[in-house]
Amino acid sequence: RRVMLSFVEKPSDLTEVRELLPDAEIVAKLESAAGLDALDWLSEVPMVARGDLLVELGCPVATLDACQRVIRRRPEAWVGSRILNGLVGRGIELSEVMDVALLGQLGYTTLLLGDELCLREDSILEALDWLEQLRSLQVQPDRPLTTV
């Protein structure tokens, strides 16, 4: 069983989940500066929630820097926040392709796709096709992209 916990900032944020679901794999969403500091003690898989982190940090460059720091320290980290959501309604845009390509070049291999995207079978199938195309361009072929 896998559980994703939002706004993890201190060890006590994880206590109740561990007590209720001792065998669960916990993915800790890092969505604030305090969440980024959690890398010092966090044993769970971290996930950078870029959209929320951008709101908290207030600067796209700081958010990119945070994404880089997380993946350098924790190569198993996930990344999320509306990835490929453009496939819902308007079709994919170059910026979304470049976004996923950059995440792959940074070293991210597990992407959390957007909620709206995952609720539509046609959109999710198209997203998987795009990710397969991007996989062939990966700078790190030994670490292929996967989605959750």
Side-chain angles (χ1 to χ4, degrees), residues 105-120:
Q105 289 181 355
L106 289 176
Y108 285 95
T109 61
T110 304
L111 312 176
L112 183 70
L113 299 176
D115 293 345
E116 290 180 48
L117 178 80
C118 292
L119 294 174
R120 297 184 47 178

Side-chain angles (χ1 to χ4, degrees), residues 7-80:
F7 276 96
V8 172
E9 296 182 335
K10 54 192 180 303
S12 61
D13 293 338
L14 301 163
T15 303
E16 187 173 353
V17 174
R18 285 192 190 118
E19 289 171 357
L20 292 171
L21 303 166
D23 297 327
E25 175 189 0
I26 300 173
V27 178
K29 287 180 73 180
L30 308 181
E31 304 172 74
S32 65
L36 294 172
D37 292 340
L39 289 172
D40 293 335
W41 52 263
L42 189 67
S43 60
E44 290 73 17
V45 174
M47 190 200 84
V48 178
R50 301 170 312 151
D52 294 315
L53 196 55
L54 175 59
V55 170
E56 292 288 319
L57 298 179
C59 175
V61 174
T63 304
L64 176 59
D65 179 62
C67 289
Q68 290 175 312
R69 285 186 288 129
V70 169
I71 198 65
R72 282 187 196 130
R73 288 187 64 184
R74 300 289 298 275
E76 78 280 15
W78 298 10
V79 66

Side-chain angles (χ1 to χ4, degrees), residues 84-92 96 114-118 120 123:
L84 296 178
N85 257 7
L87 290 172
V88 178
R90 67 177 191 275
I92 198 159
E96 291 177 296
D115 293 345
E116 290 180 48
L117 178 80
C118 292
R120 297 184 47 178
S123 296

